[in-house]
Each structure stands twice: as structure tokens, then as C-alpha cells.
Amino acid sequence: AADEAAAAAAARVLAAEGAADGAARKAARLEEAVSGAEERCRSLQALLQEARAEAAARRDAVAAAESKCREGQEAAAAACADARSLETRLRGAVEETEAV
């Protein structure tokens, strides 16, 4: 009976060791998965930072283009005002010439 009890205890020890080995392998796989996920996360964070920087640069470029456009519109409006003024003066000169 003692031999049977010892054999049963040895079998339980072997089963426990097998379960412990299985748990250790599973833990190692989980650690690898976590490590891979952390690396992917860092990579995605870097891509996100690059995308944010690019978006900021594009916003700055759009703001600069809008500013130049406003400057161009203002210059065009001034040129039109100058042309209207010149046209008025020329008409006045033509009218004076015709009156003579």
C-alpha cells in the first residue's frame, strides 16, 4: 500500500511538474506577445507623431498661402482703384481736349 501511495504521489508530482512546465511555456509566449505589442505600440506612436507634425506643417503652409492670397487680392484691389482713378483723369483730359 505504501508503494502504491508513493507511486500515486510520484504521479501527482510529475503531473504538477508538467502543468508547471506548460504554464511556464504559456507565460513565455505571453511575454513575447506583450513585448511585440509594446513594440508595435511604440512604432504606432512614432507614426502618429510624424503624422501630427506633417499636419501642422500643412496647416502652416495653408495659412501662408491664404496670407499671400489676401495680399494678392489687396494688391489687385489697389491696382483696380489706381486704374479707375487714371481712367477718370484720362476722361477728364479728353473732355478738356475736346472742349478746346
Side-chain angles (χ1 to χ4, degrees):
D3 287 340
E4 290 175 10
R12 286 193 300 273
V13 167
L14 286 176
E17 287 175 350
D21 287 343
R25 285 192 300 275
K26 185 175 183 178
R29 285 193 307 272
L30 288 173
E31 285 178 11
E32 287 178 24
V34 167
S35 177
E38 288 173 341
E39 181 60 33
R40 284 190 297 277
C41 183
R42 283 190 293 276
S43 176
L44 289 173
Q45 286 174 334
L47 289 173
L48 179 59
Q49 285 179 332
E50 289 176 17
R52 285 180 176 159
E54 185 176 331
R58 287 183 181 185
R59 279 192 301 272
D60 291 346
V62 167
E66 288 173 341
S67 177
K68 289 218 178 272
C69 183
R70 281 190 298 276
E71 290 172 5
Q73 288 172 335
E74 291 168 2
C80 285
D82 289 346
R84 282 190 296 274
S85 174
L86 180 59
E87 180 184 16
T88 302
R89 287 186 307 199
L90 286 174
R91 282 188 186 172
V94 167
E95 287 172 5
E96 285 179 22
T97 303
E98 289 175 350
V100 172

